[in-house]
Amino acid sequence: MSFSSGVKEELSRQISPARHCRIAEIAAIISLCGKVQIDEEECYQIKISTENAAVARKYFTLLKKTFNINTDILIRRNAYLKKNPTFMAAVSENGDARKILLATKLLDEHGEVGENLSVVGNLVIQNPCCRRAFLRGAFLAAGSISDPEKFYHYEIASTARAKAEQLQSILATFDVEARIVQRKKYFVVYVKEGNQIVNLLNIMEAPVALMELENIRILKEMRGSVNRQVNCETANINKTVSAAVKQIEDIRYIRETIGLEKLQESLYDIAKLRLERPEATLKELGEALDPPVGKSGVNHRLKKLSILADELREKRGSVSQQADRLEE
């Protein structure tokens, strides 16, 4: 089971004891994955369609507990296309359908259903608890969360921009900053920040998924911290090794040109020690001298050797160029 399916499975078992919250959740489910059909005799039917069995089960339970209405659930399979089965939940009795639509404010007193089952400005989401329930229903109907082991991404898809903007404004009441992007025919409300997705799981009342996500975040942060530390140490080691190689090259060049014996005692001692201990750090070199010298002192002496080697190379290059001109 994917992380997203696990969240929906947990939310499907979350039944609010308050009737007004259950109505808000039903309104979200119908608005985002349902449709209303009206026949010639002005009889209403409500149908929702979902590929998630937990969503269909939750919708059935909400209607039973809130309105004492039983829902017909059909399973449509397409073996030829090898797609997931689709669960169809239908309220076919006109009186029951009207009762649900009126309670969820999706049907006005004139019998008009809002365009795209719009819930914009709907009175059922005035209370904070009802907004939580509405977001829970919206996620069940048209939401998903990516595998947090890979990356953080929470989204709810809507066919109408007005619905997406309302979801965005509801999330803002809980200090969640969501964005909207159009993806083909859908307007997708999404959140990519890990802390805010944790907050969303808390808002929707999914404590098990919240703890799982928090554990994953902690492990990822620990791995990231360890990797950064290892990379830093590796970079320092590479820097130390590169510096040591350059120092040894300079000392060998001095030895081959003028000889180390020509150096003053302090430079001679550090040059000889560096050749003997190519892997040693500056601190270790300083401690091996008699008397001991600090890191800055060792670094200063090695820099003087480097400058001397460069001067010798430059001098040798000038002599070589003069010889070439004389030969011409």
Side-chain angles (χ1 to χ4, degrees), residues 33-94:
C33 71
K35 63 180 179 179
V36 177
Q37 293 180 336
I38 308 173
D39 63 19
E40 298 83 355
E41 299 178 356
E42 295 192 0
C43 291
Y44 292 83
Q45 282 190 345
I46 305 172
K47 294 182 179 179
I48 72 156
S49 176
T50 177
E51 292 184 356
N52 193 303
V55 178
R57 185 172 66 248
K58 176 69 176 287
Y59 180 66
F60 178 91
T61 304
L62 287 171
L63 292 183
K64 181 66 177 176
K65 283 185 172 292
T66 309
F67 301 104
N68 196 27
I69 293 173
N70 288 318
T71 310
D72 300 323
I73 297 181
L74 304 174
I75 302 176
R76 181 180 297 170
R77 300 180 185 274
N78 194 327
Y80 178 73
L81 295 177
K82 297 182 179 179
K83 287 185 176 181
N84 293 330
T86 300
F87 299 90
M88 308 284 293
V91 177
S92 303
E93 208 283 316
N94 177 59

Side-chain angles (χ1 to χ4, degrees), residues 127-143:
N127 299 324
C129 58
C130 294
R131 290 197 290 274
R132 287 175 179 268
F134 186 88
L135 289 173
R136 183 164 59 241
F139 179 80
L140 282 167

Side-chain angles (χ1 to χ4, degrees), residues 115-302:
E115 186 179 359
N116 294 317
L117 291 175
S118 178
V119 288
V120 177
N122 198 318
L123 295 175
V124 301
I125 53 174
Q126 283 189 326
N127 299 324
C129 58
C130 294
R131 290 197 290 274
R132 287 175 179 268
F134 186 88
L135 289 173
R136 183 164 59 241
F139 179 80
L140 282 167
S144 66
I145 298 182
S146 65
D147 181 355
E149 289 279 8
K150 299 175 181 177
F151 55 92
Y152 303 123
H153 184 87
Y154 169 104
E155 69 173 44
I156 299 175
S158 168
T159 55
R161 176 172 285 279
K163 286 184 190 179
E165 290 174 348
Q166 184 190 35
L167 286 167
Q168 186 183 40
S169 65
I170 293 173
L171 290 169
T173 66
F174 295 104
D175 295 324
V176 175
E177 185 179 348
R179 297 179 181 274
I180 298 174
V181 64
Q182 186 169 1
R183 191 185 299 156
K184 295 183 179 178
K185 64 178 182 178
Y186 293 100
F187 295 91
V188 181
V189 183
Y190 70 91
V191 176
K192 285 185 173 292
E193 212 282 312
N195 279 330
Q196 297 210 329
I197 294 175
V198 168
N199 189 25
L200 277 166
L201 291 174
N202 181 50
I203 291 165
M204 296 189 302
E205 299 179 276
V208 175
L210 186 154
M211 290 304 299
E212 184 180 350
L213 177 55
E214 283 285 50
N215 288 336
I216 291 171
R217 289 181 68 219
I218 291 169
L219 289 174
K220 286 177 74 174
E221 287 175 6
M222 288 178 62
R223 285 198 296 264
S225 177
V226 170
N227 288 338
R228 285 191 296 272
Q229 187 173 352
V230 169
N231 291 339
C232 183
E233 290 176 356
T234 301
N236 288 337
I237 290 170
N238 290 338
K239 185 178 177 181
T240 300
V241 170
S242 298
V245 169
K246 176 68 167 57
Q247 292 158 7
I248 292 169
E249 287 178 355
D250 290 338
I251 293 169
R252 285 174 176 169
Y253 187 79
I254 294 170
R255 184 179 63 184
E256 293 168 3
T257 52
I258 63 172
L260 298 181
E261 296 77 9
K262 296 287 183 69
L263 299 173
Q264 62 187 70
E265 185 179 356
S266 62
L267 296 182
Y268 174 82
D269 289 344
I270 195 65
K272 185 178 178 183
L273 190 60
R274 172 49 92 193
L275 291 176
E276 291 172 355
R277 301 182 60 180
E279 78 291 343
T281 63
L282 296 183
K283 182 180 179 182
E284 290 168 343
L285 289 175
E287 291 172 348
L289 290 169
D290 187 20
V293 177
K295 285 173 60 178
S296 60
V298 172
N299 188 50
H300 178 69
R301 295 181 187 186
L302 290 169

Side-chain angles (χ1 to χ4, degrees), residues 89-101:
V91 177
S92 303
E93 208 283 316
N94 177 59
D96 290 342
R98 289 179 64 88
K99 185 191 298 183
I100 294 168
L101 292 172

